[in-house]
Amino acid sequence: MLLYTSFPTEVFNVLVNVLERMGPFNYFSGWTVQGFSTSDQLLMTLMKLRLNLRDLDLAERFNTSKSTVSNIFNTYVAALHEILFEGVMKTVGIPSQLKCKGSMPKSFEEFSSARIAMDATEITQDVPSNMNSQSLSYSNYKSRHTAKAVTCVAPNGALVYCSELYPGSTSDAAIVDHCGVLDMLKPGDMILADKGFNIFDKLPSGVTLNIPPFLSSKSHFTKEEAQLCYKIGRSRIQRMRITSILTGVQTTKSQHEVPVR
């Protein structure tokens, strides 16, 4: 189950139970899928998200048509968004600093006031037909057209915030300023991030930002700066694991194009 969905069996079964309580669905293509259980349709959807399998591949595996696969996928992605994003992430929000401290791993012992580790996630998209959109969506960092979001991970590794998608050329600082994530923090909170998040001038009063030091014109870091880089790197491992999962979900060319804002 982990190989095909990234979910343990017990989590998969919980999602099946929730989806069954939500049904029946108004399917994306306007006609109801027959002959597939809720668990089969969820498995099909998660396999596409996890492995980026093409519709024809899934149609062969599940002995059905491409149109049925597309209908199921679009319907269940919308349902999962309502359950996991609207129902869990947006409703629960970022845990308080007290809750974070209750489940804080040892790697965060140097940053006991840390509430979130922040990062930007880029997902490859189709090349937009509009020339202006092409320019906006092209990421110099990735050397391809992408959609970009800012994500935040709690110290225990839970994904607790995800912004809307922005064109790939948008800077990390601009997304943070526009999406409003800083408004969710309180005095005494600390943010851990990489050097791309030079947002000191945007921080609310009492909120601190811890990013690795800049080398600037120096030939090498001091011993203290090198130790700080190491400590921040250790604390950001959880965030990197989440990012690797998110960036593994790539859009299939010519299918399910990510819209550009």
Side-chain angles (χ1 to χ4, degrees):
M1 185 63 70
L2 281 172
L3 173 64
Y4 293 106
T5 69
S6 293
F7 288 143
T9 302
E10 54 270 22
V11 175
F12 180 86
N13 290 335
V14 168
L15 285 175
V16 170
N17 291 334
V18 174
L19 287 166
E20 287 177 342
R21 291 199 297 269
M22 288 179 66
F25 296 114
N26 294 320
Y27 279 82
F28 180 81
S29 298
W31 46 273
T32 302
V33 172
Q34 304 287 345
F36 285 98
S37 64
T38 302
S39 60
D40 284 343
Q41 294 181 70
L42 177 60
L43 177 61
M44 186 187 299
T45 302
L46 295 177
M47 285 176 66
K48 185 170 182 64
L49 290 173
R50 175 68 178 85
L51 304 175
N52 194 25
L53 300 175
R54 291 186 176 275
D55 288 356
L56 180 59
D57 187 341
L58 287 168
E60 291 290 333
R61 291 173 186 248
F62 286 85
N63 192 28
T64 188
S65 64
K66 286 177 60 179
S67 59
T68 299
V69 171
S70 178
N71 194 13
I72 291 173
F73 178 77
N74 284 290
T75 302
Y76 270 64
V77 162
L80 290 173
H81 179 271
E82 184 173 341
I83 295 170
L84 301 176
F85 186 76
E86 299 289 345
V88 177
M89 191 179 298
K90 288 187 68 174
T91 301
V92 176
I94 300 175
S96 67
Q97 190 178 126
L98 182 62
K99 289 183 178 180
C100 289
K101 287 183 177 180
S103 59
M104 190 169 288
K106 189 175 180 180
S107 59
F108 276 78
E109 60 187 0
E110 296 286 338
F111 311 103
S112 58
S113 61
R115 193 172 171 194
I116 54 173
M118 184 179 290
D119 194 23
T121 300
E122 293 191 60
I123 302 175
T124 302
Q125 67 161 67
D126 284 353
V127 179
S129 56
N130 181 276
M131 293 298 293
N132 289 331
S133 296
Q134 284 187 29
S135 176
L136 288 171
S137 66
Y138 187 79
S139 168
N140 289 322
Y141 179 69
K142 294 290 186 180
S143 298
R144 55 180 179 265
H145 294 271
T146 65
K148 188 176 185 180
V150 164
T151 57
C152 297
V153 177
N156 65 358
L159 182 65
V160 295
Y161 178 82
C162 182
S163 73
E164 294 188 2
L165 290 173
Y166 292 79
S169 64
T170 313
S171 69
D172 299 345
I175 296 177
V176 171
D177 190 34
H178 184 267
C179 71
V181 63
L182 297 179
D183 298 333
M184 303 178 186
L185 303 178
K186 297 181 178 180
D189 290 341
M190 176 189 288
I191 303 170
L192 296 177
D194 58 29
K195 296 178 182 179
F197 289 88
N198 192 359
I199 53 173
F200 290 100
D201 59 327
K202 298 177 173 61
L203 294 176
S205 177
V207 176
T208 57
L209 172 67
N210 202 320
I211 61 177
F214 289 87
L215 194 58
S216 300
S217 58
K218 297 180 293 186
S219 60
H220 61 275
F221 289 124
T222 64
K223 180 180 179 181
E224 292 74 19
E225 289 173 334
Q227 288 176 340
L228 178 61
C229 287
Y230 173 73
K231 292 173 182 177
I232 295 176
R234 284 188 62 203
S235 65
R236 288 168 54 215
I237 289 175
Q238 298 280 33
R239 188 269 303 161
M240 293 169 66
R241 288 172 179 163
I242 297 296
T243 301
S244 66
I245 294 172
L246 292 176
T247 53
V249 181
Q250 300 292 328
T251 55
T252 304
K253 186 170 180 58
S254 300
Q255 300 181 56
H256 316 295
E257 180 175 341
V258 177
V260 177
R261 289 184 170 273

